[in-house]
Amino acid sequence: RKFRNMKWPFFWKSHGPEGLLQFRLRTIFEEHTMQWDWPVDVNLHEASAYCNWKSEQDGIHKDAPEAYRVITESEHNIIRGPVIAEVKKDHLVEDKWAGSANFNLLYSSQNPVGSLPPSHSGHYDTMGNAWEWTLDHFSPLEGFKLSPLYEDFSTPCFDGRHNIIMGGSFISTGAEATTFARFHFRPHFLQHSGFRLVSSESPPPNYILDSSNNNFATLITEMGNEDNVYETDELVYQYLGMHFGQDPVLSNTMPPIFPHNNAPNHALQFPQRLAKTLASLVDNSKQRKRALDVGCAVGGGAFELALHFDDVVAFDFSEAFIQAAQQLKCGEILRYHVEVEGDIYEESTAQVPPYVDEAARERVEFKVGDACRLATDAEELGLFDGVIASNLLCRLPDPLKFLDGLERVVKPGGIVLLATPFSWLEQYTKKDRWMGGFNDKATGEAVRSKDVLEVEMLSRGFVKIHEEQMPFLIREHKRKYQYVISEVTGWKQKAA
């Protein structure tokens, strides 16, 4: 629930009077009466929650060795077969699994567990029907080498944040329908993936990487990939200070700026100022208003939006940011470090200010999401009267893809507020995808991001209605701050 606030599996659709927990099953083309003997598609968090619940129901402490859990990669290899010598002769599904596993859209959907022959060990659906989550972090096998044809498929995910799924699903074809298939997803992502309940008196034989300092960090860096800096404690602390440590209403905060003459106090509370700007631009005559905060970080702007909108959806690519935002939404007070000098730090606290009451907090839904998948996720997200993207554009791998998604989520007449300092860095965006900040190779003329942004927004049906220069302040330590001036532009979607 920290990521999607799920109450039941995604493909289960509530049916009948609310509260009776009656469901139908959504398949690719239609809904059916619930098929209780089919595998259930869940993310790893949901699978783990069920294991804990089932252990409690059976009187097993969740920390006991025999507590229920999902399978590991090595266990899946054992129950699936074939033996190692036969793996070397493995072929595609047409040769090996035809008629014995639900691959290649055999039924165009999942099918009842146990309706096809079991493996040599007596286990059903070890291949096909639904991928299986494992406890193992994705990591290279012995002899792994980087292919020059596809450099960034595996290596960015040797990070201790991606778990292996195995076995393929009903929709798997080709190489995905072989025993070689070994894929990886972050635990909150949803695939056609389920889980197998395992209990053992021995510790699970799984492979775990330390996400903050793992054995493959050097390998990844040498291959030109950086760890996600937005998952570190240091960045979480810095953003908690920016979003909640600059509020004068909160008595538990330390001074956001070292006291001195002409301190730039006007640059404080940037997320809240941005949210108020969006609220001032949105048509207040509408009865129910929805807002979307893309790249919400730890949620300071989203809570401010909840004071002006009836429904707020806020997402960020960083799991650490969303976890902090969820904790704050639940009324928790978070402790964080504020650097003073060198290794010296002081401890401060972050909390949602009291003028954002519980009712307002409940209007915000936080989730992990990808701004570059906005178009893909548009149907799930719905339409919004106002959208904020705060200092996000120049931190995306494909900013134009994000702009494409805006068309899909903004209501006719709705407003998009973009704030960006146009700080392009190849660490985040390959140079051939920068929207500006370079000289045209043909003419030698400077290409300005501001000009390109206006052309791109106009081509997507948005008209500029607002522009201002809005500074913000990020503290690095007691005497050093980042003072950044974002260009904030408001864009109105043309009426249908």
Side-chain angles (χ1 to χ4, degrees), residues 3-20:
F3 298 98
R4 289 184 177 267
N5 194 30
M6 298 296 290
K7 297 178 181 178
W8 45 74
F10 185 80
F11 293 118
W12 292 14
K13 295 303 173 184
S14 182
H15 178 70
E18 187 174 355
L20 292 184

Side-chain angles (χ1 to χ4, degrees), residues 67-137:
Y68 295 118
R69 57 173 173 81
V70 302
I71 202 167
T72 68
E73 180 179 18
S74 58
E75 290 169 337
H76 192 273
N77 283 330
I78 291 172
I79 70 168
R80 180 193 66 208
V83 296
I84 297 300
E86 292 176 328
V87 169
K88 296 180 179 179
K89 299 182 292 184
D90 196 11
H91 300 286
L92 298 185
V93 61
E94 290 81 5
D95 298 327
K96 188 170 189 61
W97 300 106
S100 63
N102 185 4
F103 280 130
N104 271 338
L105 291 168
L106 182 63
Y107 303 107
S108 297
S109 70
Q110 291 166 339
N111 66 301
V113 175
S115 58
L116 293 172
S119 68
H120 74 291
S121 61
H123 294 85
Y124 290 96
D125 289 345
T126 58
M127 294 294 290
N129 216 4
W131 289 95
E132 292 189 40
W133 283 106
T134 74
L135 285 180
D136 298 78
H137 284 152

Side-chain angles (χ1 to χ4, degrees), residues 240-307:
L240 285 172
M242 179 184 178
H243 282 238
F244 301 98
Q246 300 178 355
D247 192 330
V249 174
L250 299 177
S251 60
N252 62 341
T253 60
M254 61 179 60
I257 306 177
F258 184 66
H260 65 285
N261 292 334
N262 302 316
N265 292 305
H266 61 278
L268 301 178
Q269 292 193 279
F270 177 80
Q272 290 79 5
R273 286 184 286 129
L274 204 61
K276 291 176 181 177
T277 301
L278 176 65
S280 70
L281 296 174
V282 169
D283 183 359
N284 290 319
S285 65
K286 297 182 179 180
Q287 291 184 344
R288 182 171 182 81
K289 297 179 294 180
R290 301 186 74 221
L292 176 64
D293 189 351
V294 184
C296 63
V298 293
F303 290 123
E304 179 66 35
L305 287 171
L307 299 177

Side-chain angles (χ1 to χ4, degrees), residues 230 239 270 274 293-297 315-317 369-372 374 387-399 402-403 406 417-424 428-429 486:
Y230 292 102
Y239 275 78
F270 177 80
L274 204 61
D293 189 351
V294 184
C296 63
F315 70 79
D316 199 283
F317 194 70
D370 184 350
C372 292
L374 194 58
V387 176
I388 280 182
S390 176
N391 299 329
L392 177 73
L393 202 61
C394 53
R395 289 296 178 268
L396 295 176
D398 194 346
F402 162 63
L403 297 185
L406 290 175
L417 197 65
L418 300 177
T420 174
F422 298 123
S423 299
W424 301 105
Y428 304 103
T429 315
S486 262

Side-chain angles (χ1 to χ4, degrees), residues 166-234:
M166 301 186 71
S169 75
F170 72 93
I171 206 168
S172 297
T173 61
E176 292 186 9
T178 73
T179 53
F180 295 115
R182 180 178 181 265
F183 281 83
H184 47 279
F185 286 94
R186 300 212 305 181
H188 64 278
F189 273 36
L190 182 70
Q191 301 296 324
H192 287 295
S193 52
F195 64 103
R196 192 178 298 269
L197 212 58
V198 177
S199 178
S200 172
E201 295 180 355
S202 303
N206 60 320
Y207 202 97
I208 297 296
L209 298 176
D210 180 352
S211 61
S212 61
N213 182 25
N214 66 68
N215 295 331
F216 305 104
T218 302
L219 173 67
I220 294 170
T221 301
E222 288 174 353
M223 293 173 180
N225 298 291
E226 299 291 335
D227 287 334
N228 186 354
V229 297
Y230 292 102
E231 300 291 358
T232 64
D233 288 341
E234 291 76 15

Side-chain angles (χ1 to χ4, degrees), residues 317-335:
F317 194 70
S318 166
E319 295 181 20
F321 282 175
I322 292 301
Q323 183 173 355
Q326 286 282 23
Q327 290 174 283
L328 290 163
K329 176 183 174 180
C330 293
E332 294 185 36
I333 298 176
L334 302 185
R335 297 185 179 278

